[in-house]
Amino acid sequence: MTELLNMVIIDGLSFALPLFIMAIGGIYSEKSGITNLALEGFQGVGAFAGAFAAVFLAQYTAGPMPCYFSFLFAMIGGGVFALLHALLCIRFRANQVISGVVMNILAVAMTTFLTKRINAAVFGNAGNKFMLGTIARFTVPGLSDIPVLGAIFTNVYPFEGFILVVAAVMSCVLYCTPFGLRLRACGDNPHAADAAGVDVNRVRTVAVVISGCLSGIAGMSFAYSISANFSADIFLGYGYLSIAALIFGNWTILPAFWACLLFGFAHSGGMALILRLGLPSSYNDLVRILPYVLTLVLLIFFSRHNRSPRALGEPYEKGKR
Amino acid sequence: MSEQDFIVEMRGITRRFPGITACDGVSIQIRKGEIYAILGENGAGKSTLMSMLFGMIEPDEGEIYIRGKRERIDSPRRATQLSIGMVHQHFCLVSNYTVAENIILGMEPKKKWGFFPMVDIAGANAEVAALSERYGLKVNPEDVIEDLSVATQQRVEILKMLYREAEILIFDEPTAVLTPQEILAFLNIVRGLRDQGKTVILITHKLEEIKQVADRCAILRRGKLITVMDVSSSSTSDMARMMVGREVSFTTPKAPHDFGPAVLRLENLTVGNAVGCNAVNSVSFEVRAGEVLGIAGVSGNGQNELADSIMGLRKSQSGKIFLNGRDITGLSVRERVEAGIAYIPEDRHNVGLVLDFTLRDNLMLRQYYQAKFTHRHFMDEAAFEKYGEELIRRYDIRSNQGGATIVRSMSGGNQQKAIIARELDLKTPLVVFMQPTRGLDAGAVSNIHRRIIEERDRGAAVLLISLDLDEIMDCSDTVAVIFGGRISRIAPAASLTVDEIGLYMMGVRGGEVA
């Protein structure tokens, strides 16, 4: 039983934290006023870029270097791809929902195609995935011996710590710095921000790119943990789950964290339940829907009280009020 | 007089919009430290002219000199650098930020935390408190904007300019949303600003205010500068004549007569608002045939909810509504229209009209389903056209393609005429006017006031809900004041003064009826 509980906590955290960093990305984008349904696509493209970098570097060097670089490139990849969403939504004033959906479809098609081509051209094999393996986990000595809560410090993926650090920095930037103040103003009343000398469209572009970078971290984390490779299987809808988390969190970071934890534990708890009941692994797919069912149920309670940023989804036009 | 004496000089400013020249070769010169009013009807080009001074739009022709130097003001940012500030008619505030956060936005005081630049919010609060002290503009830096009254939000806007060390302060229709007492306080603030050496530009169409505070006054009509007057040596009627281009009467002629039986009767009506609070709280009153009941009040005191619940757009929580003695509380909107209510809503664009329909179809919205306009369950286009053309003619609705015009392309005044034609032609025993003249110019306003009186003289009961106290006083037989969702005073118009109503509007007095 303890073992099962430990498993729920360990797997729950390793699922929840990537969701969380992606949700922060979404909060950045939406707080600045740009609807972002494209997190799913961003994380996938980020994972693609990172996985390619890792596999490429692994040809020349062993050790942890490819892994570090994979996260760097995942952020760059997610960020560059996000720039496209920013361009469509801000420069060309496209409908932000449609642009987001298009980003997601484009991400799946593009990465699938490119993975095959790159495998053939660069690595000389015919696979449709980049093999990564999982990264080594570590256990914090001492802290991991605490009953129950010790599981938090047991079998931790390195990226979990990285995500927490990045999340802390990003919260600070959003809530304590001038940039964060301006960013949140753009999502509530861009006219006020503009009148105060803030370049609304630039702030929004930066915010969308940040959401791409953070989603890239999430995608790379999934690639290194759940799937152990990069393939089109990375597009499992986790991006949408993090959107749900940020909405339950009322577009604020800390409550979104709790929502992500809830999803994480729903995910791992379901898996544990199957183990416990000794059901065949084909039931895994059934359990995977658990977080989504939870989403539907929570939506009933939360939707009424939550308030989205006032200018969310509206392209900013100077002079139009 | 040398150029240096003028802090602002605009020469030959012309700005065209598709189909209209908003400003046509306007030249004005403003001295440092004066209160300069810009007077004109809606659409005269006042706001356009000042938007160019604040860099929101750029002139097609003409030059702007600030402190004697020619400047190209291409953005509000540039204007701010030139120490020009503007308070817009619709405030430009971030609703979920505190007062201090709004004021410092874009020019945040910083403190370093390691290499991390952080907003010094404590310092900002102190600075805003000091600023508010210095100019006598009472605000609490830590209040959140959406909890504040309109007058306080306006003070925040002023502080925002002062924080940016603005020397030239532009106000666009600053008193449109204030109660009489708040207006007095505002005018005192403006005098105070002038005494501290600021230059104040007031855009307004309210002559009384100009007379009270302004030093000079530029009068615009249809984009052209008519004249610049010394306020102290000219009378308000002179200014009014210059503004409108003809003699105007400030009152609507109204023959006295007796009221009939009660048409609309509310009994302890309670209505909730969007967030579930009671916006209208146990309100009871009646409107008699041939009576105009004016409901005065500051925006957001339950007027919208009251009108919506009478029309059936919003469910009441308790209480009853009677029309000619019949309980209509549970009826749908269509049933109420058929029972005899006409409604001129506040929000013409979303409630009153379908903007992308033609004028003709909009005129039919109340009656399209009735037998005389259908032919075997299909709409009878010929009948539509005949009826539409008749209304257009009778109510003088002007548009470029007659009945086939898309309503979105029509002017606000003609859109309102279309709604009025549609509703009044139903000849119902009750007519509800909600803010009927909002955003319309003086000509259209007097036209609508005449219609209101005509309805009354026809024997209809008229409920007039307006934020414009002058309108209420001008048209009403009886005035009710709404404050906090309750009727705090109800009395014959003749027995009330504007100041007295103002006190009730702010909740200073009340309790007799509630």
Side-chain angles (χ1 to χ4, degrees), chain B residues 129-150:
Chain B
L131 205 60
S132 104
E133 180 80 15
R134 187 175 142 206
Y135 288 96
L137 295 160
K138 228 178 112 233
V139 292
N140 176 9
E142 291 175 59
D143 284 346
V144 175
I145 292 298
E146 55 198 355
D147 302 335
L148 298 177
S149 71
V150 178

Side-chain angles (χ1 to χ4, degrees), chain B residues 289-323:
Chain B
E291 178 184 26
V292 179
L293 178 75
I295 295 195
V298 180
S299 173
N301 274 295
Q303 293 98 323
N304 291 314
E305 289 80 3
L306 180 65
D308 284 353
S309 69
I310 292 172
M311 200 52 215
L313 295 168
R314 191 186 288 267
K315 266 210 176 101
S316 55
Q317 285 172 336
S318 62
K320 286 196 171 356
I321 306 169
F322 293 95
L323 186 69

